[in-house]
Amino acid sequence: MRVRVNDELVLDAGTCQRVQVPEGRGWRIEPPPVTMFRQVLDYLNVKPDPPHSPSGTRIGREGVAAAALTLRWGSYLAVLLDHDKPVSPQAGALGTSGISDEEMARINIEASAALAEWIELYRTHREGPLYGQLVDRAVSYLPMPQKTSKPRRATLSPLALIEPETADILVRAASPERLARVRADAQSDPSRLLANALVNVAWRNGPVENVHAGRTWRYSLDERRVTPTEERTLMRFASDGMALAMTVCFLLAPERAALSEGQRPWPERVLPYGLASMRLITPTGWTLTEASREIRLPVTAT
């Protein structure tokens, strides 16, 4: 499975073969040996800096870059939005699902794993030139419907969880069993725990549900099941959501805060993102270890 990004980059999105699924004949889609995010990042690492800095604010560019790297091109979503495929006549139809449950799971997993890597890169290189260079290269070289964004306001903002007082409230409200479990997760992979919550806010709790919801058991790999209009809506929401996510990282991540007496270490700073509202911020049951996942996809018989 190949997806063309531009005239220079074609992504390996995995392999597929015919199998039997409960609904009939279908595909087994296995992820590529190198994640799509890593393929895109490797491409940007060797690209020259654009001759002119992209327009918009720094955080606006960061939102578009993060959405492009972790979602639009760095996940299985690129397969669903492949511009080289014709749009399905059923795309956008009310009550028709354009994304299967297993496809959605792979997108969520890949986007979260990618964002965790991006957060670590940000924490390591935010004060040097590399992070800013990658942001500008992503905005310049990766096709996106918009080139800038603005942090989106959320019903329960992830920004509120930065405050130690809010963290104390969540810790005191959690059961001992849940607190122990989430704290262990925060110790084992704090950036992935944070990424799960930020992807949930920036992507999953948004207009993608209108594309995902509905009924169908026929999912074509030869046609786009997402219309161009839906794509623009999804990417605008994701870019603004990722601008909010990177604002959280800007306020939360600086290591110098941990050097001051009494400041919380990184795992404790991200702990609230595993304890917040299940529906609005903290997702339920999202993995901390997988970078991708196999898909079993029912398709139209041919």
Side-chain angles (χ1 to χ4, degrees), residues 18 25-27 217-220 298-302:
R18 286 284 191 179
R25 288 199 296 170
W27 294 107
W217 62 270
R218 301 176 186 274
Y219 293 97
S220 172
V299 296
T300 303
T302 57

PDB file of all heavy atoms in Angstrom, residues 18 25-27 217-220 298-302:
ATOM      1  N   ARG A  18      -6.080 -10.695   0.884  1.00  0.00           N
ATOM      2  CA  ARG A  18      -7.446 -11.157   1.039  1.00  0.00           C
ATOM      3  C   ARG A  18      -7.552 -12.176   2.168  1.00  0.00           C
ATOM      4  O   ARG A  18      -6.714 -13.083   2.287  1.00  0.00           O
ATOM      5  CB  ARG A  18      -7.919 -11.821  -0.244  1.00  0.00           C
ATOM      6  CG  ARG A  18      -8.214 -10.852  -1.374  1.00  0.00           C
ATOM      7  CD  ARG A  18      -9.538 -10.136  -1.165  1.00  0.00           C
ATOM      8  NE  ARG A  18      -9.947  -9.395  -2.354  1.00  0.00           N
ATOM      9  CZ  ARG A  18     -11.054  -8.701  -2.439  1.00  0.00           C
ATOM     10  NH1 ARG A  18     -11.880  -8.639  -1.407  1.00  0.00           N
ATOM     11  NH2 ARG A  18     -11.361  -8.059  -3.546  1.00  0.00           N
ATOM     12  N   ARG A  25     -15.788 -11.771   2.736  1.00  0.00           N
ATOM     13  CA  ARG A  25     -14.406 -11.579   2.306  1.00  0.00           C
ATOM     14  C   ARG A  25     -13.936 -10.179   2.661  1.00  0.00           C
ATOM     15  O   ARG A  25     -14.715  -9.227   2.637  1.00  0.00           O
ATOM     16  CB  ARG A  25     -14.272 -11.822   0.805  1.00  0.00           C
ATOM     17  CG  ARG A  25     -14.391 -13.293   0.417  1.00  0.00           C
ATOM     18  CD  ARG A  25     -13.816 -13.529  -0.957  1.00  0.00           C
ATOM     19  NE  ARG A  25     -14.572 -12.817  -1.994  1.00  0.00           N
ATOM     20  CZ  ARG A  25     -14.165 -12.700  -3.261  1.00  0.00           C
ATOM     21  NH1 ARG A  25     -13.007 -13.209  -3.625  1.00  0.00           N
ATOM     22  NH2 ARG A  25     -14.901 -12.067  -4.148  1.00  0.00           N
ATOM     23  N   GLY A  26     -12.641 -10.070   2.932  1.00  0.00           N
ATOM     24  CA  GLY A  26     -12.115  -8.763   3.291  1.00  0.00           C
ATOM     25  C   GLY A  26     -10.610  -8.713   3.152  1.00  0.00           C
ATOM     26  O   GLY A  26      -9.992  -9.556   2.500  1.00  0.00           O
ATOM     27  N   TRP A  27     -10.014  -7.696   3.792  1.00  0.00           N
ATOM     28  CA  TRP A  27      -8.575  -7.490   3.741  1.00  0.00           C
ATOM     29  C   TRP A  27      -7.981  -7.611   5.140  1.00  0.00           C
ATOM     30  O   TRP A  27      -8.591  -7.217   6.121  1.00  0.00           O
ATOM     31  CB  TRP A  27      -8.241  -6.089   3.209  1.00  0.00           C
ATOM     32  CG  TRP A  27      -8.607  -5.812   1.795  1.00  0.00           C
ATOM     33  CD1 TRP A  27      -9.618  -5.028   1.347  1.00  0.00           C
ATOM     34  CD2 TRP A  27      -7.933  -6.303   0.634  1.00  0.00           C
ATOM     35  NE1 TRP A  27      -9.646  -4.994  -0.024  1.00  0.00           N
ATOM     36  CE2 TRP A  27      -8.599  -5.771  -0.484  1.00  0.00           C
ATOM     37  CE3 TRP A  27      -6.834  -7.140   0.421  1.00  0.00           C
ATOM     38  CZ2 TRP A  27      -8.205  -6.045  -1.791  1.00  0.00           C
ATOM     39  CZ3 TRP A  27      -6.433  -7.411  -0.883  1.00  0.00           C
ATOM     40  CH2 TRP A  27      -7.120  -6.871  -1.974  1.00  0.00           C
ATOM     41  N   TRP A 217     -20.822  -2.274   6.032  1.00  0.00           N
ATOM     42  CA  TRP A 217     -19.814  -3.315   6.211  1.00  0.00           C
ATOM     43  C   TRP A 217     -18.934  -3.413   4.979  1.00  0.00           C
ATOM     44  O   TRP A 217     -18.110  -4.290   4.852  1.00  0.00           O
ATOM     45  CB  TRP A 217     -20.448  -4.667   6.524  1.00  0.00           C
ATOM     46  CG  TRP A 217     -21.336  -5.232   5.461  1.00  0.00           C
ATOM     47  CD1 TRP A 217     -22.675  -5.033   5.344  1.00  0.00           C
ATOM     48  CD2 TRP A 217     -20.969  -6.092   4.384  1.00  0.00           C
ATOM     49  NE1 TRP A 217     -23.162  -5.711   4.255  1.00  0.00           N
ATOM     50  CE2 TRP A 217     -22.143  -6.385   3.654  1.00  0.00           C
ATOM     51  CE3 TRP A 217     -19.769  -6.662   3.961  1.00  0.00           C
ATOM     52  CZ2 TRP A 217     -22.140  -7.194   2.526  1.00  0.00           C
ATOM     53  CZ3 TRP A 217     -19.772  -7.480   2.837  1.00  0.00           C
ATOM     54  CH2 TRP A 217     -20.948  -7.741   2.128  1.00  0.00           C
ATOM     55  N   ARG A 218     -19.102  -2.467   4.083  1.00  0.00           N
ATOM     56  CA  ARG A 218     -18.320  -2.467   2.845  1.00  0.00           C
ATOM     57  C   ARG A 218     -17.378  -1.267   2.853  1.00  0.00           C
ATOM     58  O   ARG A 218     -17.817  -0.129   2.754  1.00  0.00           O
ATOM     59  CB  ARG A 218     -19.248  -2.420   1.632  1.00  0.00           C
ATOM     60  CG  ARG A 218     -20.222  -3.594   1.567  1.00  0.00           C
ATOM     61  CD  ARG A 218     -21.182  -3.439   0.390  1.00  0.00           C
ATOM     62  NE  ARG A 218     -22.201  -4.480   0.397  1.00  0.00           N
ATOM     63  CZ  ARG A 218     -22.047  -5.675  -0.151  1.00  0.00           C
ATOM     64  NH1 ARG A 218     -20.913  -5.974  -0.749  1.00  0.00           N
ATOM     65  NH2 ARG A 218     -23.009  -6.562  -0.107  1.00  0.00           N
ATOM     66  N   TYR A 219     -16.085  -1.532   2.950  1.00  0.00           N
ATOM     67  CA  TYR A 219     -15.085  -0.469   3.000  1.00  0.00           C
ATOM     68  C   TYR A 219     -14.101  -0.669   1.854  1.00  0.00           C
ATOM     69  O   TYR A 219     -13.277  -1.582   1.873  1.00  0.00           O
ATOM     70  CB  TYR A 219     -14.346  -0.481   4.335  1.00  0.00           C
ATOM     71  CG  TYR A 219     -15.216  -0.122   5.518  1.00  0.00           C
ATOM     72  CD1 TYR A 219     -15.787  -1.115   6.305  1.00  0.00           C
ATOM     73  CD2 TYR A 219     -15.456   1.206   5.852  1.00  0.00           C
ATOM     74  CE1 TYR A 219     -16.583  -0.788   7.400  1.00  0.00           C
ATOM     75  CE2 TYR A 219     -16.251   1.537   6.927  1.00  0.00           C
ATOM     76  CZ  TYR A 219     -16.815   0.535   7.697  1.00  0.00           C
ATOM     77  OH  TYR A 219     -17.593   0.864   8.775  1.00  0.00           O
ATOM     78  N   SER A 220     -14.174   0.173   0.850  1.00  0.00           N
ATOM     79  CA  SER A 220     -13.322   0.045  -0.323  1.00  0.00           C
ATOM     80  C   SER A 220     -11.939   0.634  -0.060  1.00  0.00           C
ATOM     81  O   SER A 220     -11.804   1.683   0.578  1.00  0.00           O
ATOM     82  CB  SER A 220     -13.968   0.765  -1.512  1.00  0.00           C
ATOM     83  OG  SER A 220     -13.079   0.811  -2.610  1.00  0.00           O
ATOM     84  N   PRO A 298     -13.711  -5.506   6.224  1.00  0.00           N
ATOM     85  CA  PRO A 298     -14.674  -6.050   5.269  1.00  0.00           C
ATOM     86  C   PRO A 298     -14.802  -5.130   4.052  1.00  0.00           C
ATOM     87  O   PRO A 298     -14.830  -3.903   4.190  1.00  0.00           O
ATOM     88  CB  PRO A 298     -15.974  -6.095   6.063  1.00  0.00           C
ATOM     89  CG  PRO A 298     -15.819  -5.034   7.108  1.00  0.00           C
ATOM     90  CD  PRO A 298     -14.347  -4.991   7.438  1.00  0.00           C
ATOM     91  N   VAL A 299     -14.836  -5.711   2.872  1.00  0.00           N
ATOM     92  CA  VAL A 299     -14.897  -4.901   1.642  1.00  0.00           C
ATOM     93  C   VAL A 299     -15.944  -5.491   0.710  1.00  0.00           C
ATOM     94  O   VAL A 299     -16.426  -6.605   0.877  1.00  0.00           O
ATOM     95  CB  VAL A 299     -13.537  -4.864   0.918  1.00  0.00           C
ATOM     96  CG1 VAL A 299     -12.500  -4.172   1.765  1.00  0.00           C
ATOM     97  CG2 VAL A 299     -13.076  -6.251   0.533  1.00  0.00           C
ATOM     98  N   THR A 300     -16.256  -4.725  -0.328  1.00  0.00           N
ATOM     99  CA  THR A 300     -17.196  -5.198  -1.353  1.00  0.00           C
ATOM    100  C   THR A 300     -16.589  -6.367  -2.103  1.00  0.00           C
ATOM    101  O   THR A 300     -15.444  -6.305  -2.555  1.00  0.00           O
ATOM    102  CB  THR A 300     -17.517  -4.050  -2.329  1.00  0.00           C
ATOM    103  OG1 THR A 300     -18.033  -2.946  -1.583  1.00  0.00           O
ATOM    104  CG2 THR A 300     -18.535  -4.495  -3.357  1.00  0.00           C
ATOM    105  N   ALA A 301     -17.335  -7.421  -2.259  1.00  0.00           N
ATOM    106  CA  ALA A 301     -16.843  -8.589  -2.974  1.00  0.00           C
ATOM    107  C   ALA A 301     -16.671  -8.249  -4.461  1.00  0.00           C
ATOM    108  O   ALA A 301     -17.464  -7.538  -5.050  1.00  0.00           O
ATOM    109  CB  ALA A 301     -17.812  -9.758  -2.818  1.00  0.00           C
ATOM    110  N   THR A 302     -15.593  -8.785  -5.058  1.00  0.00           N
ATOM    111  CA  THR A 302     -15.349  -8.568  -6.486  1.00  0.00           C
ATOM    112  C   THR A 302     -15.070  -9.885  -7.168  1.00  0.00           C
ATOM    113  O   THR A 302     -14.734 -10.868  -6.524  1.00  0.00           O
ATOM    114  CB  THR A 302     -14.163  -7.617  -6.704  1.00  0.00           C
ATOM    115  OG1 THR A 302     -12.998  -8.170  -6.049  1.00  0.00           O
ATOM    116  CG2 THR A 302     -14.444  -6.251  -6.123  1.00  0.00           C
TER     117      THR A 302
END
